[in-house]
């Protein structure tokens, strides 16, 4: 893996970043069994040193905790980083559509102009920056027209507080409305070898409109790393507890997949996680792959996946292995 890390553009924004990005949901602790701030800061620093320039976070990741940790980690390094963060999950007001409770606090989906104006200022403070490179609507708000949301985002862009606009967790109809409103640079959607629904719907639409796609859960919550032993138990608020994908039987399937792709991993001196990240980045329409890391070792491993160049034979063998082993994983 001697190639340089892949760099890609965020739509029409003129911003470029590493194709492998650091996702910081787990760093916020919520739904991941807590967080270790010192280890998280080291993970972010290691990511940057290994060539990752795209860091994705959100206020909802630990009610501001993830953004605060990212802000501490990038102090003095802001010019090396493309920050993506989000708006629209609001616990400061009762406006919008109730979505969930976090630590007993109600969180609403709200993308009204007043909510966005408030949220961006809070994120700027937590991140310790004067601008956000890519500002993304986190979940869509059925109580606010997308035209109003986009008008508020374009104003932030005109004011220099954000440089590019994104949207996440969309329906195809939502995406059509964002495109009609104008100015959308990126979408962020769940995508991995286990989650390929957007291939036939959203990705072609995004590509036709020069909109970048950031995949999240690119390693299926860690399942596709091949490092979660069948006997491992999840505890506390870890979202993988009780998730049928993480059944012992499915983890055995992943172990068989790992064995099947071992020759490809060996050829590239790579781990299964690195091969799966590299595979994700070859898929048509996927511009960036966001991958979580909670320690420096994971961060460096993910970053190096951006140096792998899979050839046609690798991809054919991978597709055959995926079709054979990733069967009925949600049953």
């Amino acid at each position: 893996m001697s190639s340089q890390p892949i760099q890609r553009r965020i739509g029409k924004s003129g911003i470029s970043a590493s194709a492998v990005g650091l996702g910081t949901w787990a760093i916020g602790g919520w739904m991941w069994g807590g967080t270790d701030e010192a280890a998280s800061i080291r993970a972010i620093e290691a990511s940057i040193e290994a060539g990752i320039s795209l860091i994705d976070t959100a206020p909802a990741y630990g009610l501001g905790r993830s953004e605060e940790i990212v802000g501490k980690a990038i102090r003095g390094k802001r010019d090396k980083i493309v920050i993506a963060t989000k708006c629209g999950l609001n616990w400061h007001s009762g406006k919008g559509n109730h979505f969930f409770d976090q630590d007993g606090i109600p969180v609403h989906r709200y993308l009204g102009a007043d909510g966005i104006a408030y949220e961006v200022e809070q994120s700027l403070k937590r991140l310790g920056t004067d601008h956000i490179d890519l500002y993304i609507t986190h979940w869509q708000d059925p109580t606010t027209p997308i035209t109003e949301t986009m008008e508020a985002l374009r104003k932030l862009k005109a004011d220099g507080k954000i440089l590019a606009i994104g949207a996440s967790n969309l329906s195809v109809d939502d995406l059509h409305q964002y495109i009609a409103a104008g100015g959308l640079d990126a979408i962020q959607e769940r995508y991995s070898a286990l989650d390929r629904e957007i291939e036939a719907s959203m990705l072609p639409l995004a590509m036709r409109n020069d909109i970048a796609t950031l995949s999240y859960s690119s390693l299926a919550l860690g399942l596709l790393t091949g490092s979660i032993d069948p006997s491992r138990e999840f505890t506390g608020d870890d979202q993988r507890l009780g998730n049928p994908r993480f059944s012992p039987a499915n983890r055995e399937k992943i172990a068989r997949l790992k064995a099947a792709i071992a020759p490809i991993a060996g050829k590239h001196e790579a781990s299964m996680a690195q091969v799966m990240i590299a595979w994700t980045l070859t898929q048509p329409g996927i511009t960036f792959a966001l991958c979580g890391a909670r320690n420096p070792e994971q961060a460096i491993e993910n970053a190096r996946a951006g140096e792998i160049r899979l050839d046609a034979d690798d991809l054919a063998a991978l597709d055959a292995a995926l079709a054979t082993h990733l069967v009925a994983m949600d049953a």
Side-chain angles (χ1 to χ4, degrees), residues 98-254:
H98 179 259
F99 196 24
F100 56 80
D101 291 347
Q102 184 175 158
D103 297 332
I105 298 172
V107 177
H108 289 72
R109 290 185 289 180
Y110 183 58
L111 287 167
D114 58 329
I116 290 172
Y118 176 82
E119 282 198 71
V120 74
E121 297 299 335
Q122 301 307 304
S123 288
L124 290 170
K125 288 177 186 175
R126 286 190 288 259
L127 290 163
T129 186
D130 63 356
H131 72 279
I132 292 160
D133 299 286
L134 175 61
Y135 202 42
I136 302 166
T137 56
H138 199 161
W139 285 84
Q140 302 311 303
D141 165 22
T143 72
T144 303
I146 285 172
T147 51
E148 177 184 332
T149 297
M150 282 297 286
E151 184 177 351
L153 293 171
R154 283 195 298 269
K155 182 178 186 306
L156 292 181
K157 189 173 178 180
D159 292 343
K161 293 183 178 181
I162 69 173
L163 304 184
I165 297 169
S168 186
N169 298 303
L170 300 161
S171 68
V172 174
D173 182 61
D174 290 334
L175 181 52
H176 277 291
Q177 291 186 56
Y178 272 102
I179 291 168
L184 189 68
D185 297 294
I187 59 173
Q188 185 175 138
E189 296 293 327
R190 185 172 77 159
Y191 182 87
S192 73
L194 282 168
D195 300 289
R196 304 179 67 171
E197 295 82 5
I198 65 171
E199 288 181 347
S201 55
M202 303 187 79
L203 291 180
L205 182 57
M207 285 190 286
R208 286 198 300 271
N209 288 276
D210 197 12
I211 294 168
T213 298
L214 290 72
S215 70
Y216 72 79
S217 289
S218 304
L219 292 172
L221 304 178
L223 187 59
L224 290 172
T225 64
S227 61
I228 299 177
D229 187 271
S231 64
R232 179 172 165 184
E233 295 183 2
F234 300 103
T235 59
D237 72 346
D238 194 314
Q239 63 187 303
R240 294 169 291 187
L241 178 64
N243 185 329
R245 275 199 180 169
F246 287 82
S247 69
N250 279 346
R251 284 184 247 176
E252 292 286 359
K253 291 178 185 178
I254 295 296

